[in-house]
Amino acid sequence: MKIIDLRSDTVTKPSQEMRKAMYEAEVGDDVFKEDPTVNKLEEYAAELLGKEAALFVTSGVMGNQICLNVLTNPGDEVICERDAHIFNYESGSPAKLSGIQLLPVEGKNGVFTSEQVEPLIRPASAYYMPRTKVIEVENTHNRASGAIWPLEKIIELKNLAKKYNLFYHLDGARIWNASVATEISVKEYASHFDTISCCLSKGLGAPVGSIIAGTKDFIQEAYRIRKSWGGGMRQAGILAAAGLYALKNNVERLKEDHEKARYLAQRISENKNLEVNLDAVQTNIILFKPLKLSVEEGIKRCKDEGLILSVGKIDLIRAVTHLDVSFDDIKKAADIIDSVFK
Ligand code: TLP
């Protein structure tokens, strides 16, 4: 039985062409900054994101956590959305690695407003309170079904961050998806933030790695932190080659993943035993609620039929489209979902 794996876009495997690029990569010791392919990837990504410098890191979690660590001191506070990845899925690392706390705000489809944030900013004179240091935004928003932050909302919060002298960080794990969906360049998105972390190993199909970007001074400090957390890699050009290949070949095609997600979400919405917020399905993630079966039972029954899904939230099932599933696979997935939740 062919298995259709929609647990995440992280399950993609490097294509033959990507593997060829990896095989042929020129390498050196990146801890000495002598890996030409890593250097090329970092320069290319910095240019693409319109930032002074970029750094190749092992994962999205490492990217976000290095950024937060560099931007804060222990005891500081970071404002983020209630469903943010840094709040829910990074193993408590802000507290563990940087001694900082997060202040979550309830958003709508992952988006929160400056009116919500302004009253939460701690007064500078209140020495007994934590210091507010960073506002963090996630675009696209994973636990909000891949919803996109409207540019005007991004700018509104940037202005607030500026007003209070706060840093502004973007978890842009899937910023590529936001960019192809809106036709707003990643450079434009990134220009509003001090720091950005974005993944190569999600919809872009690279096996490993993320990029963080910001000013030269920021990246110099990030480089120290990466090493101290065990993230200094040696002949990492083999991995960077996959990242470069992904950035050059796999961005535009994300549109196909969005079409697949729209089709699947539509089919799910036609099933009276399932509930889906179609407004939030703007990119490649679908969250849906089974009304008659539990999430666990629904996932188990789909798996028995050859479709692997994951838990999106306590009462929601998640399906993510990606480059290793065809349109036919998605039609099959929709049929399986219909038969399980009939
Ligand atoms: N998300 C994973 C899981 O952790 C849920 C997924 O399958 O979607 N930021 C965002 C918005 C993410 O969605 C993820 C991964 C990360 C950061 C972390 O990236 P990795 O897994 O590379 O550390």
Side-chain angles (χ1 to χ4, degrees), residues 117-332:
V117 173
E118 190 157 17
L120 301 177
I121 298 171
R122 314 284 186 173
S125 58
Y127 63 89
Y128 43 84
M129 285 181 160
R131 275 200 181 108
T132 310
K133 202 52 96 52
V134 182
I135 301 174
E136 192 257 9
V137 156
E138 187 176 311
N139 191 20
T140 66
H141 196 297
N142 186 345
R143 297 226 315 176
S145 212
I148 299 169
W149 267 72
L151 195 59
E152 69 272 15
K153 294 284 172 205
I154 289 176
I155 294 171
E156 183 187 300
L157 273 181
K158 171 182 78 172
N159 293 336
L160 188 74
K162 271 217 179 110
K163 179 172 165 193
Y164 288 91
N165 213 11
L166 307 177
F167 292 115
Y168 197 28
H169 172 68
L170 173 63
D171 177 353
R174 295 185 179 82
I175 194 63
W176 326 105
N177 296 79
S179 173
V180 303
T182 57
E183 294 184 350
I184 296 169
S185 67
V186 288
K187 199 178 264 182
E188 164 81 52
Y189 277 125
S191 71
H192 300 292
F193 294 88
D194 298 298
T195 56
I196 168 166
S197 171
C198 41
C199 292
L200 303 167
S201 64
K202 309 253 161 347
L204 298 193
V208 175
S210 283
I211 288 288
I212 57 177
T215 62
K216 275 204 177 103
D217 287 350
F218 164 77
I219 289 296
Q220 205 174 342
E221 200 48 32
Y223 186 55
R224 281 184 73 82
I225 303 300
R226 185 187 69 173
K227 185 75 176 90
S228 73
W229 287 353
M233 297 181 283
R234 301 294 177 171
Q235 285 71 35
I238 297 213
L239 302 173
L244 264 174
Y245 181 92
L247 286 177
K248 291 183 177 172
N249 296 281
N250 289 349
V251 176
E252 273 305 306
R253 64 147 308 284
L254 291 171
K255 282 184 181 154
E256 290 169 31
D257 297 345
H258 300 172
E259 279 168 37
K260 291 177 218 157
R262 244 188 321 273
Y263 171 83
L264 186 56
Q266 184 60 40
R267 288 279 305 268
I268 290 171
S269 76
E270 288 160 14
N271 184 322
K272 64 179 184 335
N273 297 322
L274 299 172
E275 217 170 71
V276 59
N277 174 5
L278 280 181
D279 287 345
V281 184
Q282 298 163 12
T283 54
N284 69 328
I285 302 177
I286 304 146
L287 296 180
F288 63 97
K289 187 175 184 167
L291 301 176
K292 295 226 169 112
L293 288 180
S294 70
V295 164
E296 291 69 28
E297 187 59 25
I299 289 177
K300 188 190 162 302
R301 290 195 198 177
C302 286
K303 192 170 181 194
D304 292 342
E305 300 300 316
L307 171 64
I308 330 188
L309 301 167
S310 59
V311 180
K313 279 194 203 176
I314 187 111
D315 57 345
L316 296 173
I317 298 179
R318 185 173 85 143
V320 186
T321 57
H322 54 75
L323 84 172
D324 284 357
V325 288
S326 65
F327 240 108
D328 281 348
D329 292 334
I330 293 297
K331 284 185 183 144
K332 177 98 196 300

Side-chain angles (χ1 to χ4, degrees), residues 77-121:
E77 193 166 64
V78 174
I79 298 176
C80 65
E81 207 273 325
R82 169 74 185 77
D83 276 323
H85 199 276
I86 58 164
F87 185 55
N88 294 282
Y89 293 143
E90 302 197 1
S91 316
S93 295
K96 205 156 46 183
L97 298 175
S98 302
I100 56 176
Q101 67 186 34
L102 303 182
L103 179 58
V105 183
E106 192 85 38
K108 188 165 181 289
N109 287 343
V111 177
F112 53 96
T113 63
S114 57
E115 290 79 47
Q116 285 176 284
V117 173
E118 190 157 17
L120 301 177
I121 298 171

